[in-house]
Amino acid sequence: MNGKLVIVAGPSGSGKTTIVRHLLGVYPRLAFSISASSRQKREGEIDGEDYYFLSVEEFKKRIKNGEFLEWEEVYPGSYYGTLRTEVERLWKAGRDVIFDIDVKGAMNLKKHYPGCSLAVFIQPPSLEVLEQRLRLRQTESADFFQQRIGKAKEELSYAAKFDHIIQNYGLQEAFAEAEKLIGDFLSTF
Ligand code: 5GP
């Protein structure tokens, strides 16, 4: 039997990952969908926990085999995708699934599962704040930083397509809004 899908998207630096982590702590029936990615593993990341890290070749092979529910080349040369087996594994275990993915992937998942999914967009206060947050993060080179800003601008234009927009002006307020929204969604049939 299918469970539910909570799809969280928004630009890098919007706070979506922090909000997803918070929701995982609040609702034990939620399980995180571990994506596959061909990007470089960052320090501290664990294969099979943060992502299933694949080479570009392996990723492309799996695309050909139809193993992905959705996939995107989120940054040039860096592929990200949701494996069918990942969602099935979690549903089989009786869990509802929460996703932290890009806006296009979010829309594609929603199309696959229109009746049992909720797509939530996390909106940062402004592009300036987003830039500041990304600068502070400093996990990437200057080139990559520019890529992320470009991508963030594009992602912001998708907000209206989502079921719900959470304005992340402050984390406590955003947590409270997300908890209420997802709590209501999980308790409906
Ligand atoms: P990061 O490299 O910072 O971990 O993630 C980069 C972007 O890829 C983020 O916007 C993240 O949400 C997105 N992403 C992660 N997993 C997936 C996935 O399975 N599918 C898609 N379409 N995007 C993903």
Side-chain angles (χ1 to χ4, degrees), residues 10 12 16 35-36 39 42 51 70-72 74-75 80-82 100-102 105 148 155:
S12 198
K16 66 179 167 162
S35 298
R39 80 145 159 76
R42 294 186 194 130
Y51 284 103
E70 63 77 32
W71 63 271
E72 293 292 326
V74 176
Y75 300 106
Y80 295 78
T82 307
D100 173 349
I101 65 177
D102 92 317
R148 288 206 170 226
E155 297 222 77

Side-chain angles (χ1 to χ4, degrees), residues 1 26 33 35 53 58 62 71 77 92-93 96 105-106 123 125 135 155 163 186 188:
M1 206 196 86
V26 174
S33 165
S35 298
F53 290 100
E58 178 65 22
R62 289 177 185 235
W71 63 271
K92 254 191 214 141
D96 293 318
Q123 178 120 42
R135 262 183 229 289
E155 297 222 77
D163 298 321
L186 293 178
T188 56

